[in-house]
Amino acid sequence: MDTCSSGDSRNAPGTPSGCPTDLNRPLVLNWSDEADCAAMACRLAALPALRGACIELHGGLGAGKTTWVRHLLRALGVSGRIKSPSYAIVEPYALPADASGAVAASDAWHFDFYRFGDPQEWEDAGFRELFAAPGLKLVEWPERIAGLTGPADLALDIEARIDGSRAVQVHAGTPLGLSLLAGLSQPR
């Protein structure tokens, strides 16, 4: 079971209800197993605003970044194979509308910049246009593109522990991120 805690939830004027008022105060989670990882992905996928977010995933090799992305994309309705973009750098996905039709179909891109090394490749590959387009952006190894994008809405820092569990911190970097963080912080 994931355990959640966040900082002070008193709201400043203009801050959405339930949002932590301090962007630097993360939501702290413990994933004892992959089921906890999947549960957190499902909770986030249930928030309609997610489809317009940019999420950075930080953590070492084997931390669980791609596993979490797969769970998130499945929770958003993606069927078929969800590949790691390690060699292609980006994999696009079509997100279907939700069953009620309240959330429209949209696009998602899963980036893995582990092998990225040439800033000219950013321009040549059209990444600037992808990041400017509407849709969900999931970014592994974002430190390799530092300075080429704006702030991420959410950043997940995933640390693998010796016992197989994961220590996770979720940081908001924008008002949209604060809203998503508040949604994740709500009792289930």
Side-chain angles (χ1 to χ4, degrees), residues 50-66:
L50 173 71
R51 290 174 178 240
C54 179
I55 300 176
E56 291 182 348
L57 298 138
H58 300 270
L61 291 171
K65 298 179 298 293
T66 300

Side-chain angles (χ1 to χ4, degrees), residues 1 8 18 39 43 51 54 57 77 81 85-86 103 106 117 126 150 172 174:
M1 177 73 67
D8 184 352
R43 287 176 54 208
R51 290 174 178 240
C54 179
L57 298 138
R81 187 164 182 234
S86 292
V103 178
S106 59
T174 66

Side-chain angles (χ1 to χ4, degrees), residues 42-122:
C42 285
R43 287 176 54 208
L44 191 58
L47 304 173
L50 173 71
R51 290 174 178 240
C54 179
I55 300 176
E56 291 182 348
L57 298 138
H58 300 270
L61 291 171
K65 298 179 298 293
T66 300
T67 298
W68 182 81
V69 168
R70 285 184 179 127
H71 286 297
L72 182 67
L73 291 172
R74 286 275 180 250
L76 288 166
V78 173
S79 59
R81 187 164 182 234
I82 298 175
K83 304 186 301 184
S84 171
S86 292
Y87 292 100
I89 299 180
V90 63
E91 290 290 339
Y93 295 94
L95 302 179
D98 73 346
S100 71
V103 178
S106 59
D107 294 314
W109 294 274
H110 180 195
F111 298 89
D112 184 332
F113 288 107
Y114 183 73
R115 289 179 172 72
F116 184 81
D118 180 4
Q120 185 59 46
E121 185 178 3
W122 177 263

